[in-house]
């Protein structure tokens, strides 16, 4: 891997590295039981019922982003992150891209906590759906023909994936929907490098407040 490639997309390669390291540890520590519910839980997967009774486990809003349920799940998400992440990092910049990725994942896991608390959930797809949504939002409002086309392409991809989710019970659609919402809102309140003034201060403030409110609602229902 050329050094310039690492310097150009540091956040993407950081996320790939952390997720890969987590996956390796998952198998080293749990061997053939690496994908069992108990092993996934120990590695940091979301299990809402447990979090409801232990508020100190709210860190599970973040850690499931890096945990995967099997080799196929891991490889598919990492390939998506590799191609999608580099493009999104160019558009948003390193720090904002990293923030977008994590914020989308947190919202996806918050939706899982609220709507499917009895399910063990893990995977980077909450964050990846957030990246898809962010590009769709930018594509819709941008004056760039390239972003317009990318937005239409990713909107079609989102629809196809959600339809696939409906016919695949093992896939957590609530986490994906939460990731879409989180990514769309983050795309508005996080400035991008292509059109930094695409959204007014009012739009950005409203999107940020909406994100915070939507994050507090699951926590409110969980603990109060």
């Amino acid at each position: 891997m050329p050094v310039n490639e690492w310097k150009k997309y540091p956040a993407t390669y950081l996320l790939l590295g952390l997720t890969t390291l987590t996956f390796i540890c998952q198998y080293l520590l749990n061997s053939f039981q690496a994908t069992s519910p108990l092993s996934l839980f120990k590695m940091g997967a979301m299990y809402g019922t447990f979090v409801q009774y232990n508020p100190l486990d709210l860190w599970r809003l973040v850690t499931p982003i890096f945990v995967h349920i099997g080799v196929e799940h891991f490889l598919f998400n990492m390939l998506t992150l590799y191609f999608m992440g580099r493009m999104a990092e160019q558009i948003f910049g390193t720090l904002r891209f990293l923030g977008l990725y994590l914020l989308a994942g947190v919202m996806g896991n918050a939706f899982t906590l609220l709507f499917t608390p009895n399910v063990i959930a893990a995977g980077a797809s909450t964050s990846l759906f957030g990246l898809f949504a962010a590009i769709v939002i930018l594509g819709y409002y941008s004056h760039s023909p390239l972003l317009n086309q990318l937005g239409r392409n990713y909107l079609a991809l989102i629809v196809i994936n959600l339809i696939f989710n409906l016919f695949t019970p093992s896939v957590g659609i609530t986490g994906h929907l939460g990731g879409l919402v989180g990514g769309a809102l983050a795309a508005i309140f996080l400035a991008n490098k292509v059109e930094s003034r695409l959204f007014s201060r009012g739009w950005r403030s409203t999107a940020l407040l909406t994100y915070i409110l939507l994050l507090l609602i699951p926590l409110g229902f969980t603990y109060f």
Side-chain angles (χ1 to χ4, degrees), residues 38-88:
L38 179 59
S39 297
L40 293 169
F41 177 77
K42 289 193 299 182
M43 291 302 299
M46 170 58 73
Y47 182 46
T49 300
F50 182 83
V51 176
Q52 289 172 354
Y53 292 101
N54 189 0
L56 295 178
D57 261 39
L58 275 178
W59 49 267
R60 291 182 186 274
L61 290 174
V62 177
T63 53
I65 299 170
F66 302 96
V67 180
H68 286 84
I69 308 172
V71 175
E72 183 180 348
H73 188 210
F74 167 75
L75 291 177
F76 180 80
N77 280 346
M78 291 305 94
L79 281 172
T80 305
L81 173 57
Y82 176 78
F83 291 106
M84 183 70 184
R86 295 190 306 166
M87 180 182 66

Side-chain angles (χ1 to χ4, degrees), residues 98-219:
L98 188 59
L100 170 63
Y101 188 86
L102 295 175
L103 288 168
V106 166
M107 185 63 77
N109 290 319
F111 270 47
T112 300
L113 170 64
L114 177 62
F115 295 109
T116 54
N118 296 316
V119 173
I120 293 282
S125 51
T126 50
S127 293
L128 296 174
F129 266 81
L131 297 184
F132 295 153
I135 301 301
V136 170
I137 290 295
L138 292 189
Y140 184 80
Y141 289 100
S142 175
H143 300 96
S144 164
L146 176 59
L147 280 179
N148 295 156
Q149 185 59 52
L150 284 173
R152 288 191 291 271
N153 291 345
Y154 281 108
L155 178 59
L157 189 60
I158 288 171
V159 172
I160 291 169
N161 272 277
L162 290 178
I163 292 173
F164 175 76
N165 288 175
L166 291 174
F167 295 97
T168 313
S170 60
V171 176
I173 191 172
T174 54
H176 292 173
L177 290 173
L180 288 172
V181 172
L185 291 171
I188 297 172
F189 65 75
L190 293 174
N192 67 85
K193 292 172 65 177
V194 179
E195 294 179 83
S196 59
R197 297 184 179 181
L198 182 60
F199 300 104
S200 67
R201 181 175 297 180
W203 270 84
R204 294 173 65 182
S205 298
T206 301
L208 177 58
L209 289 174
T210 303
Y211 181 95
I212 294 171
L213 178 63
L214 288 178
L215 189 59
L216 290 176
I217 288 174
L219 302 184

